[in-house]
Amino acid sequence: MFIALGITGCIGAYKSIELIRRLQQDGHEVQAVLTRHGAEFVTPLVVEAISRHPVITDMFQRAGQWEVEHITLARRAQVLCVSPATANIMAKFAHGIADDFLTTLYLSNRNPVVIAPAMNTAMWEHPATRRNLDILQERGATMVTPDSGYLACGEEGAGRLADLEQIVESIYTVTTPSSLKGRTVLVTAGPTAEDIDPVRFISNRSSGRMGFALARVAARRGARTLLVTGPVAGRPFHSDQVRQVRSAAEMSAAVLEWAPAADVIIMAAAVADYRPRQARTTKIKKTEGATVLELVRTADILLQLKAARRPSQIVVGFAAETDDIAANARRKMEAKGTHLMVANRVGADVGFGDSPTTFTLFRHDATPRQIEGKSKEEAAAVILDEVERLLTADSTTTP
Ligand code: CTP
């Protein structure tokens, strides 16, 4: 994708360097447009070196070219993002003032606009800014609401540039067709942890990334997303509602509570099959010799859903296998009553975290599809494409 990035004059301008990098990592091209004040905070040279494009700073910098340049860029860029956006640029956009390259680009642009404001709290809360914000939103711009916190001016309050990932997510959302609009997608992610005593537990190697990618991509496609996640360290979740749980029992309760509202349920979590019969309230002390930990079965959430779900709901299961992938996936798909089974090979070094995901999609009425070496997000997109096909298919062909 080709992205036009406007950088205006406020302290958060330095964060645009990281934003350009982040978008490039996902394979996108970024053409930066610096306002005159923006160039006071971050030099054109730095932006040029990072973006690998000649940075545009002024309407008249290259005589003879400027008249066409903003039109060409407006046509070429699939999205215009302004980050950070000052109160001043929002006022100009809102009132159609076109006195430099960025404002002229805004006026000649017909593609989606993402604005990430950053300013002092008083300016953010000023009725003039609120009004301009309303005007821009009514016109279809997507606002990435600033965070609250410590500001460069030394005050605490609203106005700090939103988290980078939120800005990136907004860019992807406005450029993705809303094929899941009106649908609610419930996703589970991560491992569960089954406590042995106050300091020890049984868990597994799931990072949660597959589930998070599914929730993220579903949200980009316009779905309302409900995410139930097991214990994972510090990840941004990007979901309308998030429930953080610990044990299989807690995950089961959360899924069964939210399932009635869902059109699609995707069980990407690696749920424990066993838990200690009794979690001790005090730390178990070692003794000489071996010890035995008695484990009992947890409830199978997919089986619980099989009994409780509506016929119109699409259910997706995952099968992480070390061997006999196809046979195991088919057996689980039948036993657990899922429409789709995503099966992949796991081992000490494959199938977890950021490693490429190679998997096979099993459906009842189609030959299995082998998907090779995808990122978690690409894998999520393939799975959701299949879910969308099932949502529009005749429900009598589904289990
Ligand atoms: N699952 C579940 N509830 C459990 C365990 C698993 O809903 N208590 C779901 C997982 O989220 C996944 C699917 O079932 O979508 C397959 O999980 P897996 O643990 O691989 O399958 P099992 O049925 O436990 O089979 P096995 O132990 O033979 O691998």
Side-chain angles (χ1 to χ4, degrees):
M1 173 159 69
F2 190 84
I3 300 163
L5 175 66
I7 304 168
T8 67
C10 88
I11 192 77
Y14 77 92
K15 295 182 183 167
S16 54
I17 301 297
E18 203 51 48
L19 179 59
I20 296 170
R21 271 264 159 81
R22 173 69 181 75
L23 293 165
Q24 284 173 334
Q25 276 164 9
D26 281 358
H28 307 299
E29 247 185 286
V30 181
Q31 168 68 68
V33 179
L34 273 173
T35 61
R36 199 165 297 167
H37 289 152
E40 298 286 331
F41 286 88
V42 56
T43 69
L45 187 64
V46 172
V47 177
E48 205 155 287
I50 298 293
S51 68
R52 298 193 288 270
H53 277 284
V55 64
I56 301 169
T57 48
D58 200 289
M59 195 77 186
F60 303 102
Q61 73 189 82
R62 271 160 285 181
Q65 280 183 29
W66 65 268
E67 316 95 302
V68 280
E69 210 168 357
H70 66 271
I71 303 289
T72 314
L73 183 56
R75 284 199 191 123
R76 189 167 171 214
Q78 279 129 288
V79 56
L80 168 62
C81 173
V82 183
S83 173
T86 55
N88 182 47
I89 201 77
M90 291 188 351
K92 286 188 183 180
F93 282 180
H95 298 285
I97 295 169
D99 62 353
D100 67 1
F101 193 95
L102 185 57
T103 47
T104 313
L105 178 65
Y106 172 76
L107 273 192
S108 39
N109 172 69
R110 290 207 172 102
N111 291 319
V113 176
V114 172
I115 296 175
M119 65 199 73
N120 160 275
T121 308
M123 291 173 82
W124 174 243
E125 288 171 353
H126 196 284
T129 308
R130 312 310 300 172
R131 183 76 198 106
N132 292 334
L133 200 84
D134 289 345
I135 292 173
L136 293 171
Q137 279 177 313
E138 275 160 27
R139 223 179 265 157
T142 295
M143 288 291 157
V144 194
T145 312
D147 290 336
S148 285
Y150 179 75
L151 304 174
C153 55
E155 289 175 16
E156 290 266 336
R160 197 173 64 185
L161 186 67
D163 177 61
L164 184 86
E165 287 305 315
Q166 245 179 300
I167 301 170
V168 171
E169 242 1 83
S170 297
I171 292 174
Y172 291 156
T173 301
V174 298
T175 50
T176 304
S178 306
S179 47
L180 283 170
K181 198 172 173 58
R183 306 285 193 178
T184 298
V185 177
L186 167 57
V187 180
T188 65
T192 62
E194 309 301 326
D195 289 333
I196 298 170
D197 69 13
V199 294
R200 304 179 180 97
F201 57 89
I202 301 171
S203 192
N204 60 66
R205 294 165 60 98
S206 170
S207 67
R209 291 191 187 192
M210 188 66 241
F212 300 155
L214 280 157
R216 223 166 33 238
V217 176
R220 286 177 198 168
R221 294 183 181 191
R224 185 167 81 96
T225 53
L226 312 174
L227 178 66
V228 180
T229 170
V232 286
R235 310 224 181 266
F237 292 118
H238 302 296
S239 234
D240 293 301
Q241 277 177 272
V242 178
R243 182 79 60 87
Q244 286 177 270
V245 299
R246 183 165 172 81
S247 63
E250 285 173 16
M251 185 169 279
S252 161
V255 169
L256 294 180
E257 182 191 325
W258 279 353
D263 301 293
V264 179
I265 302 167
I266 306 180
M267 281 293 303
V271 189
D273 292 322
Y274 291 94
R275 63 170 175 81
R277 177 178 288 283
Q278 191 75 56
R280 302 281 193 90
T281 52
T282 54
K283 191 178 164 202
I284 301 169
K285 298 307 252 181
K286 64 177 169 297
T287 53
E288 290 305 316
T291 186
V292 172
L293 184 64
E294 194 186 351
L295 300 177
V296 294
R297 286 291 304 271
T298 57
D300 189 304
I301 303 171
L302 278 175
L303 280 183
Q304 291 175 315
L305 284 172
K306 188 180 177 185
R309 74 176 179 85
R310 291 193 310 277
S312 60
Q313 286 176 314
I314 302 297
V315 182
V316 180
F318 276 68
E321 307 290 343
T322 53
D323 45 36
D324 289 338
I325 295 180
N328 282 322
R330 285 195 187 287
R331 179 179 55 77
K332 286 180 187 176
M333 185 160 62
E334 290 302 331
K336 300 191 182 212
T338 63
H339 298 78
L340 201 62
M341 197 49 104
V342 185
N344 68 319
R345 188 179 295 282
V346 286
D349 301 320
V350 285
F352 297 104
D354 279 334
S355 56
T357 310
T358 295
F359 59 96
T360 311
L361 277 181
F362 289 87
R363 253 177 81 163
H364 292 273
D365 53 352
T367 47
R369 273 179 69 197
Q370 178 83 21
I371 315 290
E372 297 288 341
K374 298 278 183 197
S375 70
K376 294 280 186 274
E377 273 186 14
E378 288 167 334
V382 172
I383 294 163
L384 288 168
D385 285 348
E386 203 66 49
V387 164
E388 286 182 27
R389 261 174 236 133
L390 285 164
L391 279 169
T392 48
D394 180 358
S395 61
T396 56
T397 62
T398 56

